[in-house]
Amino acid sequence: MNFTTQMDAARKGIVTREMEIVAKSENMDVQELRALVAEGKVAIPANKNHKSLVPQGVGQGLKTKINVNLGISKDCDDIDKEMEKVKVALDMKAEAIMDLSNYGKTAKFREKLVEMSTAMIGTVPMYDVVGFYDKELKDISVDEFFKVVEKHAQDGVDFVTIHAGLNRETINTFKRNKRITNIVSRGGSLLFAWMELNQRENPFYEYFDRLLDICEKYDLTLSLGDACRPGSIADATDASQIKELMVLGELTKRAWERNVQVIIEGPGHMAINEIEANMLLQKRLCHGAPFYVLGPLVTDVAPGYDHITSAIGGAIAASYGADFLCYVTPAEHLRLPNLDDMKEGIVAVKIAAHAADIAKGIKGASQWDNEMSRARQELNWEKMFTLALDEEKPRKYRKESTPHHEDSCTMCGKMCSMRNMNKILSGKDINLLREDD
């Protein structure tokens, strides 16, 4: 039986190779997974032209996935440096990489990325439009917008961020409700500018079926972007954000009618006490579609540490239903991240994702923690390092400060609770002063 997309196959009762791989990696019955894909509650972004892909599922009942942003810009256009980041991100087991390139040889970088990446690849075609045509934004035609989307699809990217919910109604809502930080989405702000300069409707909203044609042809997952995501905690959960979210819910239904897989993108910056309600609202308004969040960053005052503000919000968001977390690095708001920034961002977001998986009761999530706890009780340092989310840093810390007694560390020494409890419970004596033990 023929099928066009993963959702089409699922609705026809077909279990695809991609579904089998995802079900096995998630310890889930494949028919249960197929049913979730058919409903749109799980997406398996897998472009037909991405041959190196190891498929991943995003959505209800699955492990929380993480995304790493990479790409070349006008100020930093070294493809080799970005490819080095790609290799490290894959080694660190990122499930997705978004190529946010906006200058220079973007097609060359994208093609190399798709060729080597086992992780799913996402892009924001809007970033590529100006450089692709070497034309000012105002002069880009509707046809040219769609040609860039199709080029990305042909190149094999698995999902594209399209800000189709920023229609004229959303813009009018934005204009009536003032914000501190206006529109902080890069793609959303460019699209807003094009609409205002040309006094036109959003082409991706006006010709949404044309977008779906491309997605259906390549099995390209549509990541409906949040142009009006809050860029400060003061702007969170406001009229603009919710208005756009309502439009995204309507577009989700239209996409599903065409068997096109959908992911919804979300905030942004947001106070901790608003996160739970936002996750529940998104799932309700967007019919249970997978939710992809940037952060949310829970305070605006920590530049240089926004991987931490983001991890706090991400852990809470995912525990209440977000399915996909975009990493944030210490360089957020400041510069293009370097390799070390990227590593710190990946570790932070992986901590958030795993913490949420424990809270959500994902199969096997807490087992990892239990193994680490047993290794600590046994004072088995090598096993602790092997189990660690980031093996490099704990090894480095241990090496930098060697204890006198191998079964302790330089903080507690012979007062180590694990060491002494093990001795007492096994019937042995302990001493804290003598040097013979």
Side-chain angles (χ1 to χ4, degrees), residues 242 245-246 248-250 280-288:
I242 303 306
L245 189 61
M246 293 168 67
L248 297 185
E250 295 170 358
L280 298 174
L281 190 61
Q282 182 278 336
K283 288 287 185 176
R284 181 70 174 176
L285 291 177
C286 296
H287 323 292

Side-chain angles (χ1 to χ4, degrees), residues 6 18 44-48 50 53 55 158 218-221 261:
Q6 294 292 322
E18 289 79 11
I44 303 177
N47 188 313
K48 296 171 183 177
H50 189 177
L53 176 70
D158 303 294
Y218 297 93
D219 197 0
L220 177 67
T221 297
Q261 300 185 103

Side-chain angles (χ1 to χ4, degrees), residues 193-375:
W194 184 91
M195 293 166 68
E196 290 293 285
L197 291 169
N198 290 286
Q199 287 300 296
R200 291 280 304 272
E201 179 57 278
N202 180 345
F204 297 117
Y205 178 80
E206 186 175 2
Y207 304 105
F208 191 65
D209 284 327
R210 186 171 175 181
L211 181 61
L212 297 180
D213 289 340
I214 297 171
C215 293
E216 188 177 22
K217 181 178 179 180
Y218 297 93
D219 197 0
L220 177 67
T221 297
L222 189 55
S223 189
L224 289 171
D226 52 337
C228 293
R229 71 172 180 265
S232 63
I233 59 171
D235 295 337
T237 326
D238 70 348
S240 300
Q241 180 194 334
I242 303 306
K243 173 62 179 176
E244 183 181 34
L245 189 61
M246 293 168 67
V247 178
L248 297 185
E250 295 170 358
L251 295 177
T252 297
K253 280 188 163 182
R254 287 178 59 185
W256 285 348
E257 287 170 4
R258 294 283 301 275
N259 293 315
V260 170
Q261 300 185 103
V262 172
I263 294 171
I264 305 295
E265 297 187 12
H269 294 233
M270 183 169 289
I272 284 176
N273 60 306
E274 295 183 41
I275 294 174
E276 178 184 2
N278 268 263
M279 300 306 107
L280 298 174
L281 190 61
Q282 182 278 336
K283 288 287 185 176
R284 181 70 174 176
L285 291 177
C286 296
H287 323 292
F291 198 21
Y292 174 30
V293 297
L294 177 71
L297 283 68
V298 295
T299 179
D300 301 329
V301 299
Y305 300 92
D306 278 327
H307 58 312
I308 297 173
T309 65
S310 173
I312 293 168
I316 297 169
S319 70
Y320 284 113
D323 308 288
F324 194 12
L325 301 180
C326 185
Y327 91 152
V328 171
T329 76
E332 183 78 5
H333 304 114
L334 302 171
R335 61 168 167 80
L336 189 77
N338 63 26
L339 185 59
D340 288 336
D341 297 330
M342 185 194 76
K343 287 180 180 179
E344 287 193 55
I346 291 174
V347 171
V349 75
K350 285 177 78 72
I351 292 170
H354 181 63
D357 286 349
I358 295 170
K360 288 190 283 193
I362 297 297
K363 288 181 181 177
S366 59
Q367 182 181 338
W368 183 8
D369 295 74
N370 294 340
E371 289 180 27
M372 176 64 85
S373 295
R374 280 189 283 270

Side-chain angles (χ1 to χ4, degrees), residues 64-288:
T64 306
K65 305 305 185 299
I66 68 136
N67 171 71
V68 173
N69 291 337
L70 297 164
I72 54 175
S73 67
K74 189 166 185 177
D75 290 312
C76 302
D77 62 351
D78 189 327
I79 288 179
D80 291 336
K81 278 189 177 180
E82 289 306 295
M83 290 309 298
E84 183 183 358
K85 290 184 194 174
V86 171
K87 292 172 185 174
V88 173
L90 293 174
D91 287 343
M92 295 181 74
K93 297 181 172 53
E95 289 94 3
I97 294 174
M98 285 202 78
D99 172 16
L100 304 187
S101 297
N102 58 32
Y103 177 81
K105 298 179 180 178
T106 58
K108 179 181 177 182
F109 177 70
R110 184 169 59 251
E111 288 163 10
K112 289 180 71 173
L113 176 61
V114 171
E115 183 181 358
M116 74 169 289
S117 179
T118 52
M120 51 186 164
I121 301 300
T123 59
V124 187
M126 192 70 195
Y127 294 176
D128 205 19
V129 168
V130 174
F132 190 87
Y133 294 108
D134 195 23
K135 293 169 70 172
E136 285 298 334
L137 179 65
K138 180 182 179 181
D139 301 324
I140 305 294
S141 71
V142 170
D143 284 344
E144 287 170 334
F145 279 124
F146 281 99
K147 284 178 183 176
V148 170
V149 175
E150 180 135 26
K151 178 66 169 71
H152 284 220
Q154 287 173 341
D155 288 345
V157 305
D158 303 294
F159 63 99
V160 285
T161 294
I162 303 289
H163 299 92
L166 186 71
N167 59 11
R168 297 305 310 185
E169 287 185 18
T170 306
I171 283 178
N172 289 336
T173 299
F174 163 74
K175 288 179 176 179
R176 291 194 304 269
N177 297 271
K178 298 300 181 184
R179 291 175 141 193
I180 291 179
T181 51
N182 295 314
I183 292 176
V184 299
S185 159
R186 193 191 329 173
S189 66
L190 292 172
L191 198 51
F192 174 86
W194 184 91
M195 293 166 68
E196 290 293 285
L197 291 169
N198 290 286
Q199 287 300 296
R200 291 280 304 272
E201 179 57 278
N202 180 345
F204 297 117
Y205 178 80
E206 186 175 2
Y207 304 105
F208 191 65
D209 284 327
R210 186 171 175 181
L211 181 61
L212 297 180
D213 289 340
I214 297 171
C215 293
E216 188 177 22
K217 181 178 179 180
Y218 297 93
D219 197 0
L220 177 67
T221 297
L222 189 55
S223 189
L224 289 171
D226 52 337
C228 293
R229 71 172 180 265
S232 63
I233 59 171
D235 295 337
T237 326
D238 70 348
S240 300
Q241 180 194 334
I242 303 306
K243 173 62 179 176
E244 183 181 34
L245 189 61
M246 293 168 67
V247 178
L248 297 185
E250 295 170 358
L251 295 177
T252 297
K253 280 188 163 182
R254 287 178 59 185
W256 285 348
E257 287 170 4
R258 294 283 301 275
N259 293 315
V260 170
Q261 300 185 103
V262 172
I263 294 171
I264 305 295
E265 297 187 12
H269 294 233
M270 183 169 289
I272 284 176
N273 60 306
E274 295 183 41
I275 294 174
E276 178 184 2
N278 268 263
M279 300 306 107
L280 298 174
L281 190 61
Q282 182 278 336
K283 288 287 185 176
R284 181 70 174 176
L285 291 177
C286 296
H287 323 292

